[in-house]
Amino acid sequence: MCLDPLIQSDKQFPENLALIEDDHHGACCWSEIKKEYLPPAAVLLTQKTLFTACELGVFDVLSQSEDPLSAATLAERLGTSPTGMERLLNACVGLKLLERNMLNGEAVYKSPELSNLYLAKTSPKSINMTLQFLSKEVYAVANYFDDAVREGTWQQGKTFGIPSGESFNVLYRSEEKMSTFMGHMDGFWNLRGKEEFISKFDLSSFHTICDLGGCSGTLAKVCAAKYPESSVIVYDLPDVVNAANKYKAAEEHQITFQQGDFFKDPIPEADLFILGYIIHDWAEDKCLHLLRKIYNICKPGGGILMAEAIINEDRSGPVHAQMLDLLMLILTEGRERTAKEYAQLLNAVGFKDIRFRSNGNLSEAILAIK
C-alpha cells in the first residue's frame, strides 16, 4: 500500500502531477506556475481546484458529453450553484484542465483528451480517486503535522475522532472510505507504472504468485496478462476482498482472491510474493515478522518482489522519498528506508540473493530469492 502525496519528478506526465503536464500534448500547468512566484495560499488553492473538480464530477460529466456544456448545465447536473460552478470552471481553464469557447454568446466548456484520460473515473488510466483520497484524507491529517513531529506518531485517529489502533482501521472505517482507498491504489499504480514494475525482472519461473495486501488486484491483473501460464492470488483483509470480488471481470480466471490478515493468519503457498508498498507502512518488528513468515513458507528458489521508494544512504534525498517518509509519519507507523536498510531486513530473515532495480517511476523494484 502507498499513500503517496504525488510528490513527483518534473520529467513527464503523470509522474509530476501536482496538476497536469504533458510534453506531447502541450498541456502544461504546474511547471509553468512554478516559474512564477505563488504565495502558499495560491499553491493550496491550485491543488484544491483540481481536487474539487474531481470530487464534484466535472471531468466525468464532460468526458461523457459529445458537446461542450455551459456552467449552468453543469451546475444543474452536479447540484451546485451556477456562480460557484462558473468560477471553478474558469479556474480550471486557467490551469489548462479544461477548454472554454463561446457558443451563441454563452461560454461553454469541454474536457481535453489529457483530462479525460487521467481525471475521468471511467478511464482505465484514471487517477481521480487518488486525488480524492489526497483531498479528503491526506489534507485532513496534514493539519496535525506538527503534532506528528512532536509525538513521533501517526495522526489519523486524532484527525477523525477514532480511538488509537492500527492505521488501516481508520482508512477502512466505512465502506465508502475503503472504496476510496481502493480506488486510490488503482490510480497510484497508474502513476507509478505497474507494467514497468512487473517487467523489471523475469518472473516466468514463478508459477504461483501471491500479491499480499493486493487490494483490488491491480498488480495481479498485470501479472496475469504478462505471465498467462501463472496463477495469481490476491490476499487481503476480508472486507477488501469482498469489495474487490464485486468488480472482478469474468476473464480474470487466473486470479483468485483469498482473505485474511497477513500478520495473524496463515498466508497462501506461492513461488513469489509481491509486496507493493507494504513494508513502508509498518514498524521494524512487524516488517521482520511478515518477511520471516514469507521466508519460512518459500521453497528454495522462491522469493519476494517488493516495490518501495528508496532514500539515499546519506539521507540527502531524493525529495519525493523524503516527503513520502513524512507522509508515513502522519498516516502510519512505518517509514521509508535506504537500500541498505531494506537489504538488512531481508538478510535478517534469511534472504541472501537481493537485487535492486529502478522502475523509472520514483521507486525501486527489489527481488529477494531464497
Side-chain angles (χ1 to χ4, degrees):
M1 187 279 286
C2 183
L3 309 173
D4 193 338
L6 305 182
I7 309 268
Q8 306 284 354
S9 72
D10 289 334
K11 294 182 180 179
Q12 55 182 339
F13 180 82
E15 284 75 13
N16 71 326
L17 186 82
L19 283 178
I20 286 185
E21 178 175 354
D22 187 274
D23 293 337
H24 301 294
H25 292 76
C28 177
C29 300
W30 193 241
S31 64
E32 292 182 359
I33 291 168
K34 288 189 294 185
K35 293 176 183 177
E36 301 178 4
Y37 171 77
L38 277 180
V43 174
L44 172 64
L45 289 171
T46 298
Q47 295 174 337
K48 288 298 287 183
T49 297
L50 172 61
F51 295 164
T52 300
C54 286
E55 290 173 31
L56 291 177
V58 169
F59 302 105
D60 302 313
V61 171
L62 288 175
S63 69
Q64 295 168 14
S65 175
E66 294 182 1
D67 300 314
L69 300 176
S70 68
T73 299
L74 280 162
E76 182 179 1
R77 293 188 186 181
L78 297 173
T80 74
S81 75
T83 299
M85 178 57 68
E86 182 179 24
R87 292 163 79 169
L88 174 65
L89 295 175
N90 287 336
C92 287
V93 171
L95 296 170
K96 295 186 173 60
L97 300 172
L98 296 177
E99 296 174 357
R100 179 180 184 271
N101 292 292
M102 299 300 295
L103 181 64
N104 299 324
E106 182 180 37
V108 292
Y109 303 84
K110 65 175 291 187
S111 182
E113 178 184 348
L114 198 63
S115 293
N116 289 340
L117 184 63
Y118 291 109
L119 300 179
K121 290 178 188 175
T122 54
S123 169
K125 292 190 175 183
S126 176
I127 59 170
N128 183 294
M129 295 304 292
T130 290
L131 296 173
Q132 292 198 43
F133 177 77
L134 293 176
S135 178
K136 296 175 180 178
E137 299 288 320
V138 175
Y139 268 49
V141 181
N143 288 322
Y144 293 91
F145 199 115
D146 53 344
D147 286 350
V149 173
R150 292 189 190 98
E151 301 165 10
T153 58
W154 59 282
Q155 300 294 312
Q156 285 194 88
K158 181 185 298 183
T159 304
F160 300 110
I162 297 175
S164 296
E166 288 192 353
S167 58
F168 284 86
N169 292 338
V170 181
L171 282 174
Y172 297 158
R173 62 190 181 274
S174 70
E175 186 174 346
E176 178 189 1
K177 297 301 181 183
M178 183 179 66
S179 178
T180 297
F181 181 76
M182 293 174 71
H184 154 61
M185 288 308 301
D186 290 342
F188 165 78
W189 276 113
N190 283 335
L191 285 168
R192 289 284 170 153
K194 53 195 174 186
E195 290 85 5
E196 292 89 338
F197 168 66
I198 293 299
S199 299
K200 281 303 167 181
F201 295 97
D202 181 2
L203 307 179
S204 58
S205 63
F206 302 110
H207 301 298
T208 304
I209 300 171
C210 179
D211 187 1
L212 292 176
C215 210
S216 65
T218 294
L219 285 181
K221 294 171 188 176
V222 177
C223 286
K226 187 170 180 62
Y227 299 103
E229 301 303 316
S230 295
S231 60
V232 186
I233 302 166
V234 177
Y235 185 90
D236 215 314
L237 296 169
D239 287 344
V240 177
V241 169
N242 290 336
N245 270 321
K246 294 179 183 178
Y247 304 103
K248 181 183 175 184
E251 64 270 17
E252 294 165 7
H253 60 278
Q254 292 170 255
I255 302 172
T256 58
F257 286 81
Q258 293 188 28
Q259 54 184 252
D261 182 326
F262 52 52
F263 287 123
K264 301 174 183 177
D265 301 322
I267 58 176
E269 292 188 3
D271 302 314
L272 180 73
F273 292 87
I274 296 178
L275 296 174
Y277 292 94
I278 298 294
I279 295 301
H280 78 162
D281 291 329
W282 305 102
E284 188 159 327
D285 59 334
K286 289 186 177 178
C287 294
L288 289 170
H289 173 75
L290 178 58
L291 293 173
R292 188 173 288 112
K293 196 171 185 176
I294 294 171
Y295 182 84
N296 289 338
I297 203 171
C298 274
K299 297 176 181 177
I304 298 177
L305 177 65
M306 295 165 50
E308 295 289 354
I310 303 291
I311 292 180
N312 297 341
E313 294 299 330
D314 64 1
R315 302 193 182 276
S316 61
V319 171
H320 76 269
Q322 293 168 327
M323 296 300 102
L324 190 53
D325 186 48
L326 290 175
L327 196 63
M328 293 301 100
L329 172 64
I330 64 173
L331 290 178
T332 76
E333 62 186 74
R335 65 185 182 88
E336 302 309 316
R337 296 173 172 86
T338 66
K340 183 179 180 180
E341 287 172 329
Y342 278 112
Q344 287 172 340
L345 285 174
L346 292 162
N347 286 153
V349 302
F351 289 102
K352 303 301 180 186
D353 183 2
I354 302 169
R355 312 165 202 174
F356 291 80
R357 288 185 186 169
S358 171
N359 78 342
N361 282 283
L362 309 179
S363 60
E364 295 282 341
I366 310 168
L367 182 65
I369 303 297
K370 181 173 179 178

